[in-house]
Amino acid sequence: MRWREKQTLDPKTFLLAVSQSVADSFCRYAGIIPDRCCVISNAIDPLFFKEQALKFLRPDSARSLISVGRLVPEKNHALVLKALKRIPNSLRPRFEIYGEGPLKIELLQLAKHLDVDLRTPGLCQDLHRLLS
């Protein structure tokens, strides 16, 4: 913790922390009394996400990862392709990009090189149907 942060925290401050280690750090470095700290753990159940991921990654399911937007460097679709390459073929979803842009040919070439199923159907007028 920087000097400025130490100066702005009053030792009587009541701290809500996301973990015990965060609370301990503030007490140690900012001089907050431990009785003035309360830990509220993350309310997300990691098992829920594990179960959902297992459903999504079943080998028998046809899944698509959909992106809507311009095919430009700022969107970094190449990073998505490289990440998909790390998923085993039997579990890997198809990647569909709805949009146009100057990187279309480059992304298709990269997908072919990585052996990732990429589709670029272009602009779509009924995205609500596609995403439902």
Side-chain angles (χ1 to χ4, degrees), residues 23-113:
D24 293 344
S25 293
F26 268 92
C27 291
R28 186 170 41 253
Y29 296 113
I32 295 175
I33 301 164
D35 292 345
R36 307 277 309 154
C37 293
C38 178
V39 175
I40 299 178
S41 299
N42 195 342
I44 296 173
D45 179 6
L47 291 178
F48 170 80
F49 288 99
K50 183 177 181 181
E51 291 168 6
Q52 296 305 312
L54 291 174
K55 288 179 187 175
F56 179 80
L57 295 174
R58 286 192 325 249
D60 62 335
S61 63
R63 300 287 184 186
S64 294
L65 176 62
I66 296 175
S67 175
V68 179
R70 298 172 297 130
L71 285 77
V72 294
E74 295 83 7
K75 302 293 184 179
N76 208 356
H77 292 109
L79 181 64
V80 176
L81 290 170
K82 292 172 187 172
L84 287 171
K85 174 63 178 170
R86 299 183 70 176
I87 299 173
N89 282 340
S90 62
L91 303 175
R92 186 181 305 152
R94 174 179 51 238
F95 187 29
E96 300 178 19
I97 306 173
Y98 289 85
E100 295 289 339
L103 294 184
K104 182 174 183 174
I105 293 170
E106 184 179 322
L107 290 169
L108 288 167
Q109 290 172 344
L110 178 60
K112 184 175 182 179
H113 173 73

Side-chain angles (χ1 to χ4, degrees), residues 1-13 26 28-32:
M1 181 171 292
R2 295 185 305 236
W3 179 84
R4 182 181 318 128
E5 292 165 330
K6 287 182 184 180
Q7 300 305 311
T8 58
L9 286 172
D10 184 326
K12 295 182 225 148
T13 299
F26 268 92
R28 186 170 41 253
Y29 296 113
I32 295 175

